[in-house]
Amino acid sequence: MNIIDGKRVAESTLRNLKNQIEHHKIHPGLCFILVGNHSASQAYVKMKKKRCEEIGIDSTVLNLPEATTEEDLLSQIALLNENKKIHGIIVQEPLPAHIDPKAVHLALDPSKDVDGFHPINVGKLLMGDITGFPSCTPYGIIKLLEAYNIQTSGKHVVVIGRSNIVGKPLAALLLQKGAFADATLTVVHSKTKNIEEHCKRADILIAALGSPHFVKASMVKEDSVVIDVGINRIEKNGETTIVGDVDFENVAEKCSYITPVPGGVGPMTIAMLLTNTVESALRSK
Ligand code: GUN
């Protein structure tokens, strides 16, 4: 069994980005918009901002009060769309209930939508058009497979979960023609009958459903690859810990490769966000 070290791959991706920024003498600018006081979102943005500083991306955080109207938020986005120094805009989710995330995604200039949430970028992803921005977690998973030379061509990949942010765009990437794609795909979800039977047939099993320790050894084929996308906060002995969608202790021995949580897919999401931002700055040069 081999552990896929996402932290190491992410660090190497970030070093590469730093070199690109220096080599091309660009000044990428990224703006985070935080609405309200969601503590997990604040922690994520802090971490993303730190990574920006490490590699030479100028990042700013726009903190807006919980009561901000959708109209006000869209006006702020319009200003950032016009700002030549800003190459990427991240509106951190979840948003307060009175703001429609779909309206926010549509308001972003697609060329600054480094999250890959605008329908134009989602459409481009589906069509294999590389002028868009792929959404970061699925993009990071493909890059992890690539880093470990885990081939997907003709392999049976089972994705658990059909969210707009992971399951669906990941399915689109794996179905493209080309290297680290060309997969035979099954997507299972909450309405699927006999999930376990489907999972057991996977050469590569990707868990992205958001349910702590959902995947057990009985659901995994011997020598398969298991990718855990889950970031679940649970209370254990009075403390909050983060666990994945895979019961790592139970499953690991059965796999050829497995990602840990933390230190697997998570760091890659940030690395791909910054990859999209540097790409945006290069395109605007
Ligand atoms: N909330 C949790 N993950 C993400 C992400 O990747 N992008 C945004 N905008 N919000 C998030």
Side-chain angles (χ1 to χ4, degrees):
M1 182 268 296
N2 299 286
I3 293 183
I4 296 178
D5 187 348
K7 194 162 172 275
R8 185 183 63 80
V9 181
E11 277 165 7
S12 137
T13 308
L14 294 177
R15 270 197 305 279
N16 243 318
L17 291 175
K18 188 170 192 279
N19 290 340
Q20 275 193 60
I21 289 170
E22 287 164 9
H23 175 76
H24 293 284
K25 300 187 171 55
I26 52 173
H27 301 282
L30 178 57
C31 183
F32 299 99
I33 304 181
L34 261 171
V35 187
N37 299 311
H38 191 266
S39 61
S41 291
Q42 285 170 334
Y44 282 140
V45 167
K46 198 171 158 200
M47 172 94 79
K48 291 173 185 174
K49 198 169 187 312
K50 185 159 172 271
R51 295 287 171 265
C52 286
E53 278 158 19
E54 284 165 9
I55 68 165
I57 292 178
D58 285 330
S59 70
T60 47
V61 183
L62 188 56
N63 281 294
L64 299 176
E66 178 85 20
T68 302
T69 63
E70 186 177 298
E71 196 188 353
D72 281 346
L73 175 58
L74 300 191
S75 324
Q76 293 286 351
I77 292 171
L79 286 175
L80 292 166
N81 283 344
E82 294 305 316
N83 185 337
K84 296 264 186 294
K85 289 188 171 160
I86 297 291
H87 304 95
I89 305 165
I90 301 287
V91 184
Q92 192 66 22
E93 295 182 15
L95 286 162
H98 63 274
I99 298 178
D100 177 9
K102 288 202 289 292
V104 170
H105 301 160
L106 270 176
L108 295 163
D109 178 339
S111 73
K112 297 189 178 188
D113 166 38
V114 288
D115 258 330
F117 290 171
H118 190 290
I120 286 192
N121 284 320
V122 178
K124 284 184 172 181
L125 177 73
L126 202 62
M127 298 177 80
D129 178 343
I130 60 163
T131 67
F133 290 117
S135 81
C136 300
T137 302
Y139 192 16
I141 293 169
I142 302 294
K143 289 287 165 194
L144 265 188
L145 296 172
E146 204 177 314
Y148 281 80
N149 196 26
I150 297 168
Q151 298 294 327
T152 54
S153 177
K155 297 280 177 63
H156 183 203
V157 182
V158 176
V159 176
I160 315 175
R162 54 174 163 176
S163 68
N164 287 336
I165 180 168
V166 184
K168 284 190 217 168
L170 179 59
L173 285 175
L174 288 163
L175 281 176
Q176 305 297 355
K177 290 186 175 175
F180 303 99
D182 281 335
T184 301
L185 193 73
T186 300
V187 181
V188 301
H189 49 78
S190 53
K191 298 290 186 289
T192 302
K193 296 197 172 71
N194 302 324
I195 285 194
E196 187 161 333
E197 292 306 312
H198 291 286
C199 294
K200 264 202 284 210
R201 284 195 287 275
D203 300 314
I204 301 174
L205 180 64
I206 307 180
L209 71 159
S211 173
H213 291 170
F214 178 85
V215 175
K216 306 284 185 198
S218 61
M219 301 168 75
V220 173
K221 185 166 81 174
E222 200 77 45
D223 289 332
S224 59
V225 175
V226 174
I227 307 289
D228 190 350
V229 188
I231 301 178
N232 307 293
R233 279 157 210 278
I234 60 162
E235 294 290 327
K236 202 173 159 188
N237 309 329
E239 277 180 37
T240 307
T241 54
I242 292 182
V243 300
D245 290 350
V246 176
D247 191 345
F248 186 92
E249 304 299 329
N250 188 258
V251 168
E253 279 311 313
K254 232 176 155 180
C255 309
S256 57
Y257 288 92
I258 186 165
T259 60
V261 174
V265 173
M268 289 305 289
T269 299
I270 300 184
M272 301 331 287
L273 180 65
L274 305 198
T275 299
N276 282 346
T277 305
V278 170
E279 178 64 23
S280 174
L282 283 170
R283 286 177 188 173
S284 81
K285 198 181 168 195

